[in-house]
Amino acid sequence: MKNFQNKAKIIKVSTGLRNIAFAGLVIWGAMIPIAFFTAMVELHISKQPANSFTMFLEIPVYGFAFLTNLKIFRFLGRLKQGCFFDARTVGLLGAAANWWLALWIYEIIFYVLMQQPWKNPQDFSLYYFPPDIGDLFAALILKFVAWFFREAQELQEEQELTV
């Protein structure tokens, strides 16, 4: 009876978290065309179009965030359906971690490109460079949890074969 109650709790919590993830999908999905439109307007209005390319650099940030949120949304959807530790569910968690790592790497590239070190190489400094260690830590934790679930799944399959 306790096992059934735990599964019901997981389904209930994942339903709530899935709703929050859906809100994130809507926000990130809206930010991509908004950022593109803003960059196009800035490019059209700007007197120096060569410098306005930096407005387009933030669009992939929203794309990576959208894909990360999409994988988490689909992972929570699988939990809501009761598919707890099958290969597809664990794979979605691992894919979310991979997209989050890609987001973190692109954010670093974004910050370097926004400083435009080719214009003033003497002013380029990593001292004021804000790498977001929180995103890296969260992505690595997700990667670890996905690996842990994958190993637990293989262990369970081995136990089922030996019994």
Side-chain angles (χ1 to χ4, degrees), residues 80-126:
K80 179 184 169 191
Q81 295 170 358
C83 305
F84 296 124
F85 301 114
D86 62 345
R88 186 170 176 201
T89 305
V90 174
L92 287 170
L93 191 61
N98 291 339
W99 282 112
W100 209 337
L101 283 172
L103 171 64
W104 181 76
I105 291 169
Y106 184 77
E107 281 180 343
I108 290 175
I109 294 168
F110 173 75
Y111 285 126
V112 169
L113 291 177
M114 287 301 287
Q115 288 186 11
Q116 299 179 358
W118 55 88
K119 284 188 175 180
N120 297 318
Q122 68 276 6
D123 292 339
F124 181 73
S125 172
L126 292 177

Side-chain angles (χ1 to χ4, degrees), residues 106-161:
Y106 184 77
E107 281 180 343
I108 290 175
I109 294 168
F110 173 75
Y111 285 126
V112 169
L113 291 177
M114 287 301 287
Q115 288 186 11
Q116 299 179 358
W118 55 88
K119 284 188 175 180
N120 297 318
Q122 68 276 6
D123 292 339
F124 181 73
S125 172
L126 292 177
Y127 182 74
Y128 297 107
F129 180 65
D132 188 6
I133 302 300
D135 279 346
L136 174 64
F137 184 70
L140 291 177
I141 290 293
L142 267 185
K143 195 84 169 151
F144 172 74
V145 170
W147 170 81
F148 183 75
F149 285 161
R150 194 174 304 116
E151 291 297 319
Q153 181 184 23
E154 290 175 8
L155 183 64
Q156 182 181 6
E157 288 174 0
E158 283 181 20
Q159 286 180 348
E160 288 174 355
L161 290 176

Side-chain angles (χ1 to χ4, degrees), residues 13-113:
V13 169
S14 65
T15 302
L17 290 175
R18 187 174 183 266
N19 292 336
I20 294 170
F22 180 74
L25 277 178
V26 170
I27 291 170
W28 292 122
M31 285 305 295
I32 294 170
I34 289 171
F36 185 75
F37 178 74
T38 305
M40 291 299 290
V41 168
E42 179 71 25
L43 182 64
H44 184 63
I45 293 174
S46 176
K47 304 289 187 228
Q48 300 171 342
N51 293 336
S52 355
F53 85 95
T54 56
M55 294 291 293
F56 290 95
L57 289 176
E58 68 185 25
I59 297 171
V61 171
Y62 300 131
F64 285 129
F66 177 81
L67 289 171
T68 301
N69 201 347
L70 177 66
K71 294 300 180 182
I72 291 173
F73 175 76
R74 293 179 68 203
F75 167 74
L76 292 169
R78 298 277 301 167
L79 289 180
K80 179 184 169 191
Q81 295 170 358
C83 305
F84 296 124
F85 301 114
D86 62 345
R88 186 170 176 201
T89 305
V90 174
L92 287 170
L93 191 61
N98 291 339
W99 282 112
W100 209 337
L101 283 172
L103 171 64
W104 181 76
I105 291 169
Y106 184 77
E107 281 180 343
I108 290 175
I109 294 168
F110 173 75
Y111 285 126
V112 169
L113 291 177

